[in-house]
Amino acid sequence: QVQLVESGGGLVQPGESLKLSCQISGGIVKIYVMSWYRQAPGNQRELVATTSEGSTDYADSVKGRFTMSGDGAKNTVNLQMSSLRPEDTAVYYCYADMAYTYRTGTYAELKRRDFWGQGTQVTVAS
């Protein structure tokens, strides 16, 4: 089973840094799009950073402060966040659009779909 598991969230003070990681596991064939989203209480989920075909884009609100990177050998995607602000407080989600091998018994099939992690809380407060 494909799984995305985020880690690294926590409570930090304004101006501090935090690194989030997303570990992807299970039958990965190809990742087409990898992204980080966040959702603050009462707000819609918003795109923070996304990478596809070697190109990475960031939301205007995090440009110059957040950096998305990946370790293909470890199937891990990171989000390095610096100069954090109270308005960065949210649950951060890892997302992937990927092709994967679906197996059941002796049957195997190539599929493609969206996957989400469970989210990790980031709180920026003094």
Side-chain angles (χ1 to χ4, degrees):
Q1 295 285 357
V2 175
Q3 281 191 313
L4 276 62
V5 179
E6 301 98 334
S7 62
L11 171 64
V12 296
Q13 295 188 346
E16 293 186 339
S17 299
L18 203 60
K19 181 180 178 181
L20 305 183
S21 294
C22 176
Q23 178 71 52
I24 310 164
S25 61
I28 303 165
V29 174
K30 181 177 180 178
I31 298 175
Y32 295 95
V33 178
M34 196 78 211
S35 306
W36 284 95
Y37 284 77
R38 68 185 180 186
Q39 187 168 18
N43 291 355
Q44 290 187 336
R45 191 170 297 189
E46 64 172 351
L47 180 64
V48 175
T50 186
T51 188
S52 176
E53 298 182 341
S55 177
T56 302
D57 293 310
Y58 299 91
D60 288 342
S61 59
V62 306
K63 278 181 182 177
R65 300 188 299 121
F66 290 13
T67 302
M68 184 174 179
S69 64
D71 185 337
K74 297 181 180 179
N75 287 332
T76 300
V77 178
N78 303 310
L79 185 68
Q80 179 66 50
M81 307 183 293
S82 60
S83 302
L84 283 162
R85 306 167 181 169
E87 54 263 38
D88 294 319
T89 296
V91 177
Y92 284 71
Y93 297 91
C94 182
Y95 160 89
D97 168 8
M98 73 171 80
Y100 66 103
T101 301
Y102 172 77
R103 297 183 185 276
T104 175
T106 58
Y107 176 77
E109 179 182 355
L110 181 66
K111 292 190 173 185
R112 177 177 176 177
R113 53 160 282 196
D114 300 340
F115 291 90
W116 291 91
Q118 82 286 354
T120 185
Q121 176 71 46
V122 172
T123 302
V124 185
S126 53

